[in-house]
Amino acid sequence: MNRRNWIAVASAEHARRGRDHAGLGFMQVGHGKLAPLRRLAPGDRVAYYAPATVLHGTDKLQSFVSIGVVQRGEPYEADMGGGFVAWRRDVGYVAAQEAPILPLIDHLDFVEDPKRWGYKLRFGLLEVSDHDIHLIAGAMNASIRALDL
């Protein structure tokens, strides 16, 4: 299987909503846009990074809040209420603890300049190496075996 790895970016509140959804979890990126979700495939691994606790929040949470595996099926629309319809993909999240990114900065392959480590995350979805997803999973105490299913 040609598995790819991703970091998705959202507020912790939004990432936790997808992780804690009854039944199967889900992910949304780019404020509900479809195009980024089309880049992912079933079996891909995704870790959610949250710069802040709430959307437009000023706190510096800067933590990984969930990690899981993209499930079978295509992106689909979901009514979020108030006239907002977002695109989603199903994700099987694994048990994990939230973990700050700062202790990992000097060890992540995608970070080219530790002084500007957040630069690549600003797009909301970033493909990363196996090394990076394993490092993140380890920091979150997530089972890499569960992520390899």
Side-chain angles (χ1 to χ4, degrees), residues 1-5 42-45 69 127 130 147-149:
M1 172 185 278
N2 188 16
R3 179 184 312 257
R4 294 163 70 189
N5 307 295
D44 285 0
R45 297 177 285 209
V69 178
E127 187 172 359
D130 283 343
L147 292 169
D148 282 336
L149 295 176

Side-chain angles (χ1 to χ4, degrees), residues 27-29 32-34 37 75-78 85-89:
M27 67 178 294
Q28 295 173 190
V29 293
K33 292 180 182 156
L34 173 60
L37 292 178
Y76 58 91
E77 291 180 293
V85 178
W87 288 92
R88 291 181 175 172
R89 280 203 88 129

Side-chain angles (χ1 to χ4, degrees), residues 1-53:
M1 172 185 278
N2 188 16
R3 179 184 312 257
R4 294 163 70 189
N5 307 295
W6 305 90
I7 295 175
V9 181
S11 70
E13 177 184 42
H14 289 173
R16 291 170 185 151
R17 185 177 302 149
R19 178 194 67 197
D20 299 338
H21 187 260
L24 197 56
F26 65 86
M27 67 178 294
Q28 295 173 190
V29 293
H31 303 287
K33 292 180 182 156
L34 173 60
L37 292 178
R38 286 189 170 154
R39 296 175 59 200
L40 290 91
D44 285 0
R45 297 177 285 209
V46 60
Y48 256 100
Y49 168 74
T53 304

Side-chain angles (χ1 to χ4, degrees), residues 76-141:
Y76 58 91
E77 291 180 293
D79 187 343
M80 301 293 293
F84 178 58
V85 178
W87 288 92
R88 291 181 175 172
R89 280 203 88 129
D90 289 335
V91 175
Y93 289 102
V94 302
Q97 299 171 352
E98 296 185 9
I101 193 173
L102 293 180
L104 306 179
I105 295 301
D106 289 333
H107 308 285
L108 291 164
D109 288 342
F110 81 86
V111 175
E112 296 168 5
D113 180 352
K115 292 180 182 176
R116 293 179 181 82
W117 61 267
Y119 180 76
K120 289 185 177 179
L121 296 171
R122 76 189 191 291
F123 296 110
L125 186 66
L126 171 69
E127 187 172 359
V128 297
S129 67
D130 283 343
H131 169 267
D132 284 0
I133 206 73
H134 283 83
L135 186 66
I136 293 163
M140 297 180 76
N141 291 319

